[in-house]
Amino acid sequence: MPAPQRVRLLMMLLAVTAMLAALWGGLLRIGWHWPLLLRPLPLAHGPLMISGFLGTLLSLERAVALQRRWAYAGPLCCGLGGLLLATGAGFLGPVLLMVGSGVVVAIFASILHQHLSLFTTTMAIGALAWLVGNLLWLF
């Protein structure tokens, strides 16, 4: 398997890990009596699902479409941030999720420069809203 495909596969594994952790935390939140594998899971359910899973997945899709190496910093930060958030590794997880969303905004700025249209503008506004939401959550 070529190196770019291995890197993409690693990022997909990070996204799936965040999704599974978010689902576990969500089931705990609705009252399922499952073991509490990691203490932060119930409270981290929302950020894990949005930034850890969807953020990694969607930013990876945009990075592949843009075909720029720097764009892979977005899904990498989101994936690692989700992993750190799930394990309760302190402040670094939310910071990485915020940085990842900032990279996605930069990706969409580049996409808008190449292809200005209603659908790219709508996705760019969504990315900006995600960044603002992560900044508000962080602070």
Side-chain angles (χ1 to χ4, degrees):
M1 182 181 305
Q5 288 180 347
R6 283 189 297 236
V7 170
R8 292 176 192 159
L9 181 61
L10 172 67
M11 292 180 194
M12 288 297 297
L13 288 173
L14 288 171
V16 168
T17 302
M19 179 192 65
L20 292 173
L23 288 173
W24 194 279
L27 292 173
L28 290 170
R29 286 180 68 94
I30 63 171
W32 285 37
H33 298 288
W34 284 13
L36 183 63
L37 297 177
L38 298 167
R39 192 159 199 242
L41 285 184
L43 291 177
H45 164 72
L48 278 172
M49 190 59 82
I50 293 170
S51 293
F53 170 56
L54 291 173
T56 304
L57 186 68
L58 297 175
S59 62
L60 179 59
E61 177 203 19
R62 293 291 91 202
V64 170
L66 191 60
Q67 297 180 349
R68 301 281 190 269
R69 281 186 173 203
W70 64 266
Y72 286 94
L76 182 63
C77 286
C78 290
L80 291 176
L83 186 64
L84 291 173
L85 180 64
T87 59
F91 196 62
L92 187 57
V95 168
L96 282 173
L97 292 173
M98 190 268 310
V99 170
S101 60
V103 172
V104 174
V105 169
I107 289 171
F108 275 105
S110 180
I111 289 172
L112 286 173
H113 181 71
Q114 295 174 12
H115 185 76
L116 183 62
S117 66
L118 180 60
F119 74 92
T120 55
T121 303
T122 302
M123 289 190 297
I125 292 169
L128 188 59
W130 177 40
L131 173 62
V132 169
N134 277 339
L135 283 168
L136 291 172
W137 175 59
L138 186 63
F139 295 106

